[in-house]
Amino acid sequence: MTNGGSISKTIGGVVFANEFTALIYDLRWAVLLCGSLILADLWLGCRSAYNSGKEVRKSRAIRRTANKFIDYLMYMLVAAMIGMVVEQMGWWSHTNVALCGILLGCFCEIESILGHWAKLHGYSFSIRKVILKLVGIKSKEVADIINEELE
C-alpha cells in the first residue's frame, strides 16, 4: 500500500501555504492597516457602548473582532483567487485584486469607526447615506431599497 495520495496532498498544502505567505507578505501594510482599523473599531465601539450605559462583554467583543479579521482575510483570499483568473487574461495582477478585497474590509471598518465616533460626540453619520446623496438619487424609494440591500 502506497501513501502517494498523502504525499501529493502534503505537497499541494505546502505550495498553497507558500502562495498564501507570499500574498500576506506582499500586502503586509494593507493587512496591518486592516488590523489597526479593526482594533480602533473595537476601542471606539466599547467606549460608545460604555457611554450609552450598555454592558460590554469582553468575550463577545474579542470574538467579533477576531471574526472580522478572519473575514477580511477571506475577502483578500477570494479576491486573490479571482485575481489569478484575471491575471491569466492579462488584465490585473492577483495582488492588486487581493488589495481591493482587503480594502473592502477597510472601508467597512472606517464606516463603523466613523459611526462610533459620531455617536460618542452626539452625531449620527453613515458613509452609505453620504454616498447615496452624492450619487444624486432623488427618489426616496430607490434610496430605501439600496439601504435595505446594503444592510
Side-chain angles (χ1 to χ4, degrees), residues 9-150:
K9 288 180 185 176
T10 303
I11 292 171
V14 168
V15 169
F16 181 74
N18 286 339
E19 290 275 340
F20 179 70
T21 304
L23 183 68
I24 293 291
Y25 181 77
D26 289 343
L27 297 175
R28 62 190 176 274
W29 294 109
V31 172
L32 185 63
L33 170 67
C34 191
S36 299
L37 290 172
I38 290 170
L39 290 176
D41 183 46
L42 171 67
W43 174 259
L44 287 172
C46 288
R47 283 188 58 202
S48 178
Y50 178 76
N51 284 353
S52 63
K54 295 180 184 173
E55 178 188 359
V56 176
R57 295 189 339 221
K58 291 179 185 175
S59 63
R60 182 171 186 244
I62 291 169
R63 185 183 69 242
R64 289 183 68 186
T65 300
N67 283 342
K68 281 182 185 182
F69 190 70
I70 291 170
D71 285 346
Y72 298 153
L73 283 179
M74 287 298 115
Y75 292 167
M76 183 184 73
L77 279 177
V78 169
M81 287 184 235
I82 292 169
M84 293 288 190
V85 173
V86 171
E87 193 171 32
Q88 296 297 319
M89 292 185 258
W91 292 349
W92 247 20
S93 75
H94 68 282
T95 307
N96 289 339
V97 179
L99 179 62
C100 292
I102 201 160
L103 289 179
L104 173 67
C106 289
F107 175 78
C108 294
E109 285 306 300
I110 289 170
E111 180 177 14
S112 181
I113 288 168
L114 289 175
H116 290 311
W117 183 85
K119 187 175 180 183
L120 279 169
H121 292 87
Y123 301 111
S124 176
F125 182 77
S126 171
I127 292 177
R128 286 181 291 180
K129 290 178 183 176
V130 170
I131 290 173
L132 289 176
K133 288 181 181 179
L134 288 176
V135 169
I137 296 178
K138 303 290 187 227
S139 171
K140 175 123 175 77
E141 295 171 7
V142 174
D144 290 340
I145 291 170
I146 291 172
N147 272 330
E148 287 174 14
E149 290 301 317
L150 289 174

